Amino acid sequence: MNGNLQQTIEGEDAWYAAMKALGQQNSLPAFLWSEHLALAAQDHCRDHGPKGEIGHVGSDGSKPTDRVNRYGMWANQLAENLAYGKLASGPEYVLNMYIDDGVPERSHRKNMLNEKMSLAGVAYCQHKFYGGMLVTVYANGFSPN
């Protein structure tokens, strides 16, 4: 750890739940990089970051599926993870999403561990209120336009 203290919603419970889940997790293949999914992630980052907005719906009403559809066709599963805050590195954002503090259904972790998801694209941008914003888009298949 880098010594920075972070406020939590659940306290230590979220950390312990993540450690338990990690101990029970089977190995998964690495995601394959998708430039097209990264472009969709970048679109959302560029839209929300400067305005300080949060959430999965863009200021134009677009949803993750709409943003990905701009670049091609995804197969039958698509997911988007969002993380906010001024963290020191990419791995800290990933750890933050894996712990999923304050998200009872642990949807970020479930997206990361979904065995059917094989592709990922990521974008990072400055966020007006939270310092940083990371957008990760996952899919189990994609065909570019």
Side-chain angles (χ1 to χ4, degrees):
M1 295 306 275
N2 62 9
N4 292 336
L5 297 176
Q6 292 193 358
Q7 184 176 357
T8 68
I9 295 169
E10 298 173 58
E12 294 177 347
D13 290 348
W15 287 88
Y16 289 124
M19 286 191 314
K20 181 179 178 183
L22 188 58
Q24 297 171 346
Q25 177 62 44
N26 293 325
S27 294
L28 295 170
F31 288 104
L32 299 175
W33 176 256
S34 169
E35 187 64 32
H36 297 91
L37 296 180
L39 290 170
Q42 188 177 54
D43 287 349
H44 197 50
C45 228
R46 286 182 175 161
D47 177 33
H48 273 203
K51 298 173 188 167
E53 295 183 18
I54 61 170
H56 295 281
V57 179
S59 63
D60 61 355
S62 65
K63 296 177 184 168
T65 54
D66 300 318
R67 292 187 288 275
V68 172
N69 287 342
R70 293 173 187 158
Y71 299 99
M73 295 187 58
W74 50 280
N76 59 3
Q77 286 195 9
L78 182 80
E80 179 182 76
N81 281 359
L82 305 175
Y84 303 91
K86 193 65 173 170
L87 301 177
S89 67
E92 284 190 32
Y93 279 98
V94 173
L95 179 61
N96 181 300
M97 285 187 283
Y98 189 87
I99 294 169
D100 231 0
D101 180 44
V103 183
E105 60 278 354
R106 306 291 190 229
S107 57
H108 297 106
R109 185 185 310 159
K110 287 178 183 175
N111 289 339
M112 294 168 73
L113 300 178
N114 184 337
E115 294 178 1
K116 294 179 181 172
M117 298 293 194
S118 58
L119 303 172
V122 180
Y124 173 82
C125 61
Q126 295 297 311
H127 191 275
K128 183 176 181 177
F129 299 119
Y130 293 108
M133 175 180 178
L134 185 79
V135 180
T136 307
V137 180
Y138 307 94
N140 68 334
F142 185 82
S143 298
N145 289 337

